[in-house]
Amino acid sequence: MTRSLPRAVHPGAWWGWAIGLAVAVSAVTNPLLLLLALAVAALVVSARRGSSPWARAFRLYLWLGLAIIVVRVVLHVAVGLKFGTLRVLPLPEATLPSWAAGIQVGGDVYLEGLLGAATLGLRLAVIIACIGAANALANPKRLLRSLPTALHEVGAAVVVSVSVAPQLAESVQRVRRARDLRGETRKGIRAVPAIALPVLEDTLERSLLLAAAMDSRGYGRSGTAAPRQRLVTGAVTLLGLLLTAVGLYGILDASTPTLMGTPSLVVGLGLALTGLWLGGRHVRTTTYRPDTWGGPEWLTVACGVVPAAVLTVVGRTTPDALAMPLEPLGVPALPLLAVVGLLVAALPSFLTPEPPRPPSRVPVRGAREVAGV
């Protein structure tokens, strides 16, 4: 088998894969399946992330997910609805006035409710990890080049916001390396003030440089379209998005009329695409060496669609297999079909080309000898 040459996979393919994996776990509270999805995302990131600064930001999303789980559990203990039979933490309960009925402050904590809160927090943490995986694998600058011309300005704002976490991680690492070179000995919480101020200064400097660069490239310009053309383009796009939302609601709710389902969705998507085409005619952008879309990209997107489709089927046929049994408390099931669907999402770590690595700066020994060193 011939090994493919290193090349970067299209960023849109990575986002399609990550969104598919996030959709797959969006209705799952089974901790075994959630941990498997998290392991799959971590495997793909470790195997296919590049050497760019945002490639090292996946760890921040993992810490953010852990913080979400802790906050979710703390909120359950403090003001959550307590349920279950196995009491693990006896706490006093505060008496609230009648207008606050339904809110429980304190009270005995039961194992079932605690596990339920932890699994809900774990689900949100895994979804955030999937988005973090896409952010670590996809170059946001290359993603901006792949957007339609009508979304160029909006895409620039989205790319700037998505790049905050990777740039912050790079700033923290750079400040820590500088502290190590200076022989700083403070660690842990005591080192936070000494690290936070240089990181804040570096962030402000990057923001000013970015603003100057965007201003010099003409971002925010009004364009050549007439006011009437802008009004028509905006109306068509807005109407298309509204009909798309109505169509999605009609498909999910079987009690709605037939016209609110697939017909509204098809017409809405058509109008939205028409609005994007009308808006893109008056935006002049050029792309140097555009990214190619080939077999690896289709494979990556398919590996994200498959788990979403498989877990949707499992949720409709055996919904209890995707949930954590709490009442009564039991061991979560491990459905084979759902496991296979999630393992399919790990295939891009083996079947896609390796990302290009920066050339090594260490001189070759033979070159030294020829140069007489």
Side-chain angles (χ1 to χ4, degrees), residues 141-194:
K141 297 179 181 178
R142 291 173 50 226
L143 181 62
L144 175 61
R145 297 190 306 175
S146 305
L147 290 176
T149 54
L151 299 177
H152 188 70
E153 301 291 340
V154 177
V158 173
V159 168
V160 170
S161 61
V162 170
S163 304
V164 170
Q167 298 291 350
L168 183 62
E170 184 186 13
S171 298
V172 172
Q173 291 179 357
R174 186 165 55 250
V175 171
R176 293 181 64 180
R177 285 196 300 266
R179 284 171 49 82
D180 293 338
L181 292 175
R182 289 194 299 266
E184 296 285 348
T185 58
R186 286 181 295 176
K187 302 294 183 181
I189 301 298
R190 296 181 301 172
V192 171

Side-chain angles (χ1 to χ4, degrees), residues 24-358:
V25 301
S26 61
V28 177
T29 57
N30 189 327
L32 299 180
L33 297 178
L34 291 175
L35 292 176
L36 178 59
L38 181 61
V40 166
L43 174 64
V44 176
V45 170
S46 62
R48 289 296 178 262
R49 65 179 175 182
S51 57
S52 55
W54 45 84
R56 297 188 292 269
F58 184 66
R59 185 181 302 177
L60 290 179
Y61 290 93
L62 296 180
W63 283 110
L64 177 60
L66 180 60
I68 289 174
I69 297 174
V70 173
V71 170
R72 184 67 180 82
V73 172
V74 170
L75 289 177
H76 173 76
V77 174
V79 296
L81 178 62
K82 313 300 191 298
F83 65 93
T85 57
L86 300 175
R87 187 173 63 176
V88 295
L89 185 61
L91 292 176
E93 181 178 353
T95 302
L96 298 178
S98 58
W99 56 266
I103 301 177
Q104 184 178 0
V105 178
D108 296 338
V109 179
Y110 298 93
L111 181 60
E112 292 87 345
L114 202 62
L115 290 177
T119 52
L120 290 177
L122 178 61
R123 180 175 64 182
L124 181 56
V126 174
I127 293 175
I128 291 177
C130 294
I131 303 303
N135 197 11
L137 293 168
N139 188 327
K141 297 179 181 178
R142 291 173 50 226
L143 181 62
L144 175 61
R145 297 190 306 175
S146 305
L147 290 176
T149 54
L151 299 177
H152 188 70
E153 301 291 340
V154 177
V158 173
V159 168
V160 170
S161 61
V162 170
S163 304
V164 170
Q167 298 291 350
L168 183 62
E170 184 186 13
S171 298
V172 172
Q173 291 179 357
R174 186 165 55 250
V175 171
R176 293 181 64 180
R177 285 196 300 266
R179 284 171 49 82
D180 293 338
L181 292 175
R182 289 194 299 266
E184 296 285 348
T185 58
R186 286 181 295 176
K187 302 294 183 181
I189 301 298
R190 296 181 301 172
V192 171
I195 295 178
L197 186 59
V199 169
L200 179 60
E201 182 181 357
D202 184 66
T203 303
L204 292 176
E205 183 179 356
R206 286 177 179 270
S207 301
L208 293 175
L209 292 176
L210 177 62
M214 295 180 68
D215 183 66
S216 64
R217 287 167 175 79
Y219 283 89
R221 61 189 183 276
S222 59
T224 58
R228 182 179 178 181
Q229 293 176 338
R230 291 179 177 274
L231 181 61
V232 172
T233 301
V236 170
T237 305
L238 180 60
L239 180 61
L241 294 177
L242 290 176
L243 289 177
T244 301
V246 172
L248 290 175
Y249 177 79
I251 291 175
L252 296 176
D253 189 0
S255 62
T256 57
T258 306
L259 292 177
M260 291 183 61
T262 304
S264 297
L265 179 61
V266 173
V267 174
L269 290 176
L271 290 176
L273 294 176
T274 302
L276 292 179
W277 176 74
L278 291 175
R281 291 191 307 166
H282 306 286
V283 179
R284 297 291 182 264
T285 59
T286 57
T287 302
Y288 174 69
R289 298 178 63 182
D291 295 304
T292 59
W293 187 285
E297 285 73 18
W298 288 115
L299 174 66
T300 302
V301 174
C303 290
V305 173
V306 167
V310 169
L311 266 72
T312 300
V313 172
V314 174
R316 291 182 179 273
T317 55
T318 55
D320 294 338
L322 302 182
M324 174 69 186
L326 297 175
E327 294 179 331
L329 185 62
V331 179
L334 193 62
L336 180 60
L337 184 59
V339 171
V340 173
L342 290 176
L343 290 179
V344 170
L347 293 180
S349 60
F350 306 101
L351 301 181
T352 55
E354 295 183 1
R357 303 293 180 181

